[in-house]
Amino acid sequence: MGKCEQCIIKQFNSLKSLTTDELMRISKCKTSRIIKKGEVIFEEGESINGVYCVKDGICKLSKLSENGKDQIVKMVVKGQLLGQRSLINGESSNLQATALNDMEVCFIPRSEIIKDLQSNPKFSFDVLQDMAKDLKEADDVIVNMAQKSVRQRLAESLIYIHDTFGTNPDGTLSILLSREDFANIVGTATESAIRVLSQFKKDGLITTIGKQIKIENIEGLRRVE
Amino acid sequence: MGKCEQCIIKQFNSLKSLTTDELMRISKCKTSRIIKKGEVIFEEGESINGVYCVKDGICKLSKLSENGKDQIVKMVVKGQLLGQRSLINGESSNLQATALNDMEVCFIPRSEIIKDLQSNPKFSFDVLQDMAKDLKEADDVIVNMAQKSVRQRLAESLIYIHDTFGTNPDGTLSILLSREDFANIVGTATESAIRVLSQFKKDGLITTIGKQIKIENIEGLRRVE
DNA sequence: ATTTAAATATGATATTTGTCATGTTTTAAT
DNA sequence: ATTAAAACATGACAAATATCATATTTAAAT
């Protein structure tokens, strides 16, 4: 099993602020795990008791609303941490994490890392900055959900995915999502998401190769009303 | 001017985790300020360069969406801190703060308090817990915005305000909001908010005394679909 | 007290979005 | 390769919400 102190992934998250000693201690108790596409990493209401460091792959964080629909709140990719919030407040997760493709993660038990959070100010300040960023993004999502049309939200989601997670060599979005996933991101019915994407296709804003989506006119998408 | 180390308000926020020495130092550089109802405390994009500790009153945090509508993201009351996020990431505010009634606040310059955040792990862990809570609440708001009807969101907002900010002796909600404010909380047109409130009145769920709203049947509000 | 402006209220109508039905295509399993 | 299941697609219609118009009431200013 790899050693945390030598792991390049940590450069991308708050773990980089831990000392070599701290990392070596964590390395001893961490466990590595492979998660298959579609597998649930943790459920809503489940006690996580630690934090996941995503070494490879992507997962969605979603929450079931009372009417039975799933809402995707955030996506977490390679390099990021999963379960930070539960780590901090000690509560069970309020979100479900599901792998969107095959993933490789390291699990660090709460008991080990919480010490560092409470004693290493550099580390906790780093986590703090991470959360501040999350919170800002959440505010933006709230405003978009509340004030923009389904068309606009879907257009912006495509742009967000394009800019944040990148594209494959052929220009298609690197994250492969079902139409249902798109619907659950923008908070609409699956049929509505399908309809809007079809319209985008007709308007020449995107093209599709099977399930893959390629943005053809990003400026046009930005101008969607 | 009052001294931070003796201020009872600090019990309600993360400042309680500062040492007496730290509080005395902060006390020397803090400034007190009275803010009139309707006054803007800081605008979107403004550099705050510190945090506000709310000693009295309530304010709304809102963000202007591209279509020109204001979205209220959160309300901050007596005892809470304002501008934590900007404090942490050093960026200008992404939200506007507006007083909903007359307020009394203390302003603590960033330069003074950032040291404590980086050196007092107890304090930064406390702020961390605060932000984790905010983030969880934000997730809930996202799900509600995306998946629930205007009627449901408005009913839940009334319950939230009732449970979180309390009522006056006569049973009316202690926070006085305009119909436009309600619309900006649930993300709908002012006319729609008015219509829904009128319907709630007809259904006996609420009564109104002028602008004041009194919840008459909270269970009924919970059951709104 | 009177005037003026702002907030609240409601009707009529347009637009957006959801739901149900049904057909087609793609993917997965045998 | 064949079959079954899931995902995608689209039409028809219903429901929710926005927009515009116009009263009415309330609050603010003089």
Side-chain angles (χ1 to χ4, degrees):
Chain A
M1 190 156 29
K3 292 176 182 172
C4 293
E5 62 272 25
Q6 290 165 3
C7 179
I8 44 161
I9 287 295
K10 72 166 200 292
Q11 295 307 328
F12 301 107
N13 62 47
S14 333
L15 297 179
K16 66 175 175 297
S17 297
L18 292 175
T19 65
T20 307
D21 279 359
E22 286 167 335
L23 283 169
M24 283 171 69
R25 184 166 45 72
I26 281 172
S27 205
K28 279 181 199 140
C29 61
K30 77 144 203 289
T31 51
S32 206
R33 189 173 147 200
I34 299 290
I35 294 157
K36 283 255 182 313
K37 178 181 172 175
E39 202 179 316
V40 173
I41 307 167
F42 53 80
E43 290 182 331
E44 235 178 292
E46 190 178 322
S47 292
I48 311 183
N49 279 316
V51 69
Y52 293 88
C53 177
V54 179
K55 290 188 72 174
D56 201 19
I58 297 160
C59 71
K60 61 179 176 185
L61 290 176
S62 66
K63 189 170 157 66
L64 206 66
S65 102
E66 286 149 41
N67 61 22
K69 284 189 188 166
D70 230 30
Q71 177 65 35
I72 298 179
V73 171
K74 185 177 157 64
M75 291 190 283
V76 174
V77 295
K78 176 176 165 176
Q80 301 185 313
L81 296 180
L82 198 59
Q84 287 198 69
R85 234 168 317 155
S86 298
L87 177 72
I88 288 154
N89 59 24
E91 292 173 13
S92 56
S93 175
N94 62 320
L95 301 172
Q96 168 170 309
T98 313
L100 285 172
N101 49 29
D102 291 352
M103 296 180 77
E104 192 187 342
V105 299
C106 286
F107 178 76
I108 305 166
R110 181 176 147 88
S111 55
E112 279 307 315
I113 201 163
I114 199 85
K115 299 176 205 167
D116 305 315
L117 207 52
Q118 285 166 334
S119 63
N120 181 339
K122 193 166 180 306
F123 176 48
S124 75
F125 189 70
D126 229 65
V127 175
L128 215 40
Q129 290 198 310
D130 236 52
M131 305 226 355
K133 186 165 159 265
D134 279 357
L135 209 40
K136 186 181 171 177
E137 283 183 8
D139 285 344
D140 289 340
V141 173
I142 291 172
V143 176
N144 286 344
M145 285 293 175
Q147 305 278 5
K148 294 187 179 168
S149 69
V150 170
R151 267 178 77 78
Q152 279 181 306
R153 282 179 277 164
L154 195 37
E156 288 188 14
S157 296
L158 289 171
I159 295 168
Y160 176 80
I161 290 168
H162 176 270
D163 292 351
T164 313
F165 308 124
T167 56
N168 299 315
D170 64 352
T172 57
L173 297 180
S174 63
I175 303 187
L176 190 60
L177 294 168
S178 68
R179 300 295 195 253
E180 192 182 2
D181 282 331
F182 277 112
N184 293 346
I185 289 172
V186 301
T188 190
T190 305
E191 296 95 321
S192 297
I194 290 173
R195 253 181 260 271
V196 173
L197 285 175
S198 297
Q199 192 57 49
F200 284 171
K201 215 154 67 172
K202 277 181 196 154
D203 295 345
L205 300 173
I206 61 171
T207 50
T208 56
I209 309 162
K211 227 165 149 172
Q212 308 258 16
I213 292 176
K214 184 175 174 184
I215 295 183
E216 297 290 348
N217 181 356
I218 200 162
E219 284 311 318
L221 276 180
R222 287 210 176 86
R223 274 184 264 111
V224 160
E225 296 209 341
Chain B
M1 187 156 34
K3 292 176 184 174
C4 294
E5 62 273 23
Q6 290 165 5
C7 179
I8 44 161
I9 286 293
K10 73 167 197 292
Q11 295 306 327
F12 302 106
N13 61 48
S14 332
L15 297 180
K16 65 175 175 297
S17 296
L18 293 176
T19 64
T20 307
D21 279 358
E22 287 166 336
L23 283 169
M24 283 171 69
R25 185 166 44 73
I26 280 172
S27 205
K28 278 182 202 142
C29 60
K30 76 145 204 289
T31 51
S32 206
R33 188 174 146 199
I34 299 290
I35 294 156
K36 284 255 180 316
K37 177 180 173 177
E39 200 179 317
V40 173
I41 307 166
F42 53 81
E43 290 183 332
E44 234 178 292
E46 190 177 324
S47 292
I48 310 182
N49 281 318
V51 281
Y52 293 88
C53 176
V54 179
K55 290 188 74 173
D56 201 21
I58 298 162
C59 71
K60 62 180 177 185
L61 290 176
S62 65
K63 189 171 157 65
L64 205 66
S65 103
E66 286 148 42
N67 61 22
K69 284 189 188 166
D70 230 29
Q71 176 65 36
I72 297 180
V73 171
K74 186 178 158 62
M75 289 189 283
V76 173
V77 294
K78 177 176 164 175
Q80 302 184 313
L81 296 181
L82 197 60
Q84 288 198 67
R85 234 166 319 155
S86 298
L87 177 70
I88 289 155
N89 60 24
E91 293 172 12
S92 56
S93 175
N94 62 321
L95 301 172
Q96 168 168 311
T98 314
L100 285 172
N101 49 30
D102 290 352
M103 297 180 76
E104 193 187 341
V105 300
C106 286
F107 179 77
I108 305 167
R110 180 177 148 87
S111 55
E112 280 307 315
I113 201 164
I114 200 85
K115 300 176 203 165
D116 305 316
L117 207 52
Q118 285 166 333
S119 63
N120 181 340
K122 193 165 180 306
F123 176 49
S124 75
F125 190 69
D126 229 64
V127 175
L128 215 38
Q129 291 198 310
D130 235 53
M131 305 232 342
K133 187 164 159 268
D134 278 357
L135 209 41
K136 187 182 170 175
E137 283 183 10
D139 286 344
D140 289 340
V141 173
I142 290 172
V143 176
N144 286 343
M145 284 294 174
Q147 306 277 5
K148 293 186 178 168
S149 68
V150 169
R151 266 178 78 76
Q152 279 181 306
R153 284 175 336 214
L154 194 38
E156 289 187 15
S157 296
L158 289 171
I159 294 169
Y160 176 80
I161 290 168
H162 176 269
D163 292 353
T164 311
F165 308 125
T167 56
N168 298 315
D170 65 351
T172 56
L173 296 179
S174 63
I175 303 187
L176 190 60
L177 295 168
S178 69
R179 301 296 193 252
E180 192 182 2
D181 283 330
F182 277 111
N184 292 347
I185 289 172
V186 302
T188 192
T190 306
E191 296 96 318
S192 298
I194 289 172
R195 254 181 259 272
V196 173
L197 285 174
S198 297
Q199 192 57 49
F200 285 172
K201 214 154 69 173
K202 279 182 192 152
D203 296 345
L205 299 173
I206 62 171
T207 50
T208 56
I209 309 162
K211 226 166 150 172
Q212 308 257 16
I213 292 177
K214 185 176 174 183
I215 295 183
E216 296 291 348
N217 180 355
I218 199 162
E219 286 309 320
L221 275 179
R222 287 210 176 86
R223 273 184 265 110
V224 160
E225 296 208 341

